[in-house]
Amino acid sequence: MRQVILVNNGRPSFNQYMSSISDRVATELTHVLPGAWDVPDSLRESMTYSLMAGGKRLRPLLVVAACEAGGGSAEAAIPVACAVEMVHTYSLIHDDLPAMDNDDFRRGKPTNHKVFGEATAILAGDALLTHAFYMVVQSARKFGVPAERVLSIVEDLAEYAGPRGMVGGQVADMEGEQGITKLEELEYIHLHKTSDLIMFSLIAGGRVAGCSERQIEALRAFGQRIGLAFQIQDDILDLIGDEAKLGKSTQSDVKQQKVTYPYFIGLEASRLEVGRLTDEAKALIKEAGLEAPDRLLDIADFLMSRDH
């Protein structure tokens, strides 16, 4: 992995670094199900359709960058990077369903249930979530990551993707409504629906690298802040973003009367909050004693300024 990332024996640009990891993860995801497994073709196709639909591959990027920041092997982090992308993809498939957000397009393509039907889409999401845990274990099987570290990653994934984490945030989001939900309740939604999986990605990368508990806690705090900033930026882009770049309809939060940060505090104050959270996150990671934190700082800046 390190050889792939290096360009002309020098330090690559952030875009080159991000693209190289995205390409490597995409390659791994194309054969994420062992060929010898007897899996129904419709299920395999539905899973692959959403896994390969593009996107920033942000969470895998965070896994690898955190692992490298802690002095670990990026190669050993790839199975965990793939696992978190599968969990994220499952959440998007289910989020788009008629019973949830009822979206017809995702990343500029018809959503999974529009192509394969609701039942297959639901089961594809179920399969991706389940298979993610299999993938985490491969970091031990194939790359020798100590079992104790892998056990902690599995425990973290169950916590941050489950009822206390992402799923709990999704339920709170469904129950949220303009005129009823308060700002502190919206923060809960953003922290759990979005931030928790971002936080997990950083912690998992740190665990693969064998980071100290102090460093793991710094990665946790960094992830919580950039995760919240990421979702607030999403709220902003839903109002003023370019549909062609976003790959989905804008103004959806307004149409569904969902609460957002701009709804509560306005557009400019929301932008300032993204900046404040990003600055706090960068300060925390600079003081963590990591070997190579620069790419994490690059990611924080990238998320703050993104337009899609």
Side-chain angles (χ1 to χ4, degrees):
M1 184 66 177
R2 291 181 188 276
Q3 288 80 5
V4 173
I5 290 173
L6 289 175
V7 177
N8 297 326
N9 296 318
R11 189 173 189 266
S13 70
F14 176 66
N15 284 338
Q16 289 170 324
Y17 177 76
M18 185 167 57
S19 294
S20 68
I21 293 173
S22 178
D23 290 347
R24 177 57 197 278
V25 169
T27 298
E28 290 297 315
L29 289 174
T30 59
H31 51 82
V32 73
L33 290 175
W37 286 13
D38 186 10
V39 178
D41 289 342
S42 58
L43 178 60
R44 191 185 291 267
E45 289 170 11
S46 180
M47 294 168 68
T48 302
Y49 176 81
S50 291
L51 271 178
M52 305 311 296
K56 293 177 285 294
R57 309 289 191 201
L58 168 63
R59 291 151 192 84
L61 173 67
L62 291 169
V63 174
V64 174
C67 181
E68 292 188 317
S73 161
E75 193 74 18
I78 290 295
V80 181
C82 290
V84 75
E85 187 69 0
M86 285 189 280
V87 172
H88 176 56
T89 301
Y90 121 77
S91 76
L92 299 181
I93 293 173
H94 284 192
D95 203 32
D96 290 335
L97 290 167
M100 304 277 273
D101 283 352
N102 195 24
D103 283 321
D104 293 341
F105 291 94
R106 168 75 63 179
R107 296 167 179 162
K109 299 178 180 179
T111 46
N112 196 292
H113 68 274
K114 285 292 181 180
V115 178
F116 298 95
E118 289 182 41
T120 299
I122 291 168
L123 291 169
D126 294 344
L128 287 166
L129 172 60
T130 309
H131 194 57
F133 290 93
Y134 174 90
M135 283 302 297
V136 169
V137 174
Q138 302 317 300
S139 61
R141 301 278 191 220
K142 296 179 180 179
F143 300 103
V145 177
E148 187 64 31
R149 295 185 202 169
V150 174
L151 186 64
S152 293
I153 293 170
V154 168
E155 183 178 44
D156 289 339
L157 183 55
E159 177 180 352
Y160 289 120
R164 165 253 181 270
M166 184 181 68
V167 174
Q170 179 67 63
V171 170
D173 184 41
M174 288 171 58
E175 294 174 348
E177 186 178 336
Q178 291 179 5
I180 297 175
T181 304
K182 299 175 183 176
L183 180 58
E184 56 267 28
E185 293 169 332
L186 174 62
E187 183 174 302
Y188 173 92
I189 292 168
H190 284 0
L191 283 173
H192 294 292
K193 183 181 177 184
T194 301
S195 184
D196 273 356
L197 206 57
I198 287 174
M199 188 162 54
F200 163 77
S201 301
L202 288 151
I203 295 169
R207 292 202 191 283
V208 172
C211 286
S212 68
E213 281 306 309
R214 172 176 170 263
Q215 291 169 334
I216 292 293
E217 287 308 309
L219 289 167
R220 189 191 310 273
F222 175 81
Q224 184 183 60
R225 284 162 178 78
I226 66 165
L228 181 55
F230 177 87
Q231 186 56 54
I232 296 172
Q233 184 73 356
D234 256 12
D235 288 352
I236 294 168
L237 292 174
D238 187 72
L239 284 177
I240 63 170
D242 183 335
E243 288 190 9
K245 290 182 178 180
L246 292 170
K248 60 182 180 180
S249 300
T250 56
Q251 302 284 328
S252 62
D253 292 333
V254 175
K255 293 169 187 173
Q256 296 181 42
Q257 294 191 312
K258 283 192 174 183
V259 287
T260 64
Y261 265 77
Y263 170 80
F264 276 113
I265 65 175
L267 200 56
E268 188 54 36
S270 296
R271 288 190 175 112
L272 291 173
E273 185 66 2
V274 170
R276 182 189 71 80
L277 288 164
T278 302
D279 289 343
E280 282 187 8
K282 291 170 67 176
L284 285 164
I285 215 66
K286 286 176 182 176
E287 298 169 1
L290 294 164
E291 287 187 26
D294 287 356
R295 290 305 187 188
L296 295 178
L297 300 174
D298 290 342
I299 291 168
D301 287 334
F302 165 76
L303 294 181
M304 184 176 72
S305 60
R306 70 191 175 94
D307 59 3
H308 63 284

